[in-house]
Amino acid sequence: QVQLMESGGDSVQSGGSLRLSCAASGYPYASYCMGWFRQAPGKEREGVAAIASDGTTNYADSVKGRFTISQNNARTTLDLQMNNLQPGDTAMYYCAAGWPGPCTVAVGEKSDGGYWGQGTQVTVSS
């Protein structure tokens, strides 16, 4: 059984940093794409960052240069380093893996497939 568990969400002031982590277990395929997504109240799910098994990354334009996605060699931990946080980054952040199709945030954010965690809340105040 695939399990994804996020941690690291918190409340910070604008310009601050947070590091989110996702503990993954039960993967049937090491080649799965993994990523981070977010959803704010009243808004649709938005892709943040994705990483393929070969380390290729893909970011939403809104976070490029501020966020960095990384994984350990065993692909059991997926991290998201978030710097220079802004109020617009406030959302529930979800870890996901194994959605069908290309390993991009644009595909993942629209997918009903794959595996998803329960989320961790990030709140940024001005």
Side-chain angles (χ1 to χ4, degrees):
Q1 181 179 358
V2 176
Q3 290 187 326
L4 301 171
M5 184 171 295
E6 304 94 337
S7 63
D10 205 346
S11 296
V12 296
Q13 290 191 329
S14 180
S17 298
L18 282 175
R19 188 176 184 87
L20 305 184
S21 290
C22 174
S25 62
Y27 273 172
Y29 302 110
S31 61
Y32 272 5
C33 181
M34 301 179 70
W36 287 95
F37 299 81
R38 66 188 182 186
Q39 189 166 19
K43 294 187 177 181
E44 294 187 350
R45 187 171 65 198
E46 176 188 19
V48 176
I51 186 166
S53 57
D54 65 358
T56 302
T57 57
N58 178 253
Y59 293 92
D61 288 342
S62 60
V63 306
K64 283 181 180 177
R66 300 189 298 126
F67 292 11
T68 303
I69 190 172
S70 62
Q71 61 189 359
N72 65 346
N73 288 338
R75 308 198 82 206
T76 55
T77 301
L78 181 72
D79 290 338
L80 184 69
Q81 178 65 42
M82 305 186 294
N83 298 327
N84 191 22
L85 283 160
Q86 301 299 313
D89 296 316
T90 295
M92 185 71 79
Y93 282 70
Y94 298 92
C95 172
W99 61 86
C103 190
T104 66
V105 293
V107 172
E109 68 185 17
K110 294 178 174 58
S111 178
D112 292 327
Y115 304 93
W116 296 80
Q118 295 300 305
T120 186
Q121 178 68 38
V122 172
T123 303
V124 185
S125 58
S126 58

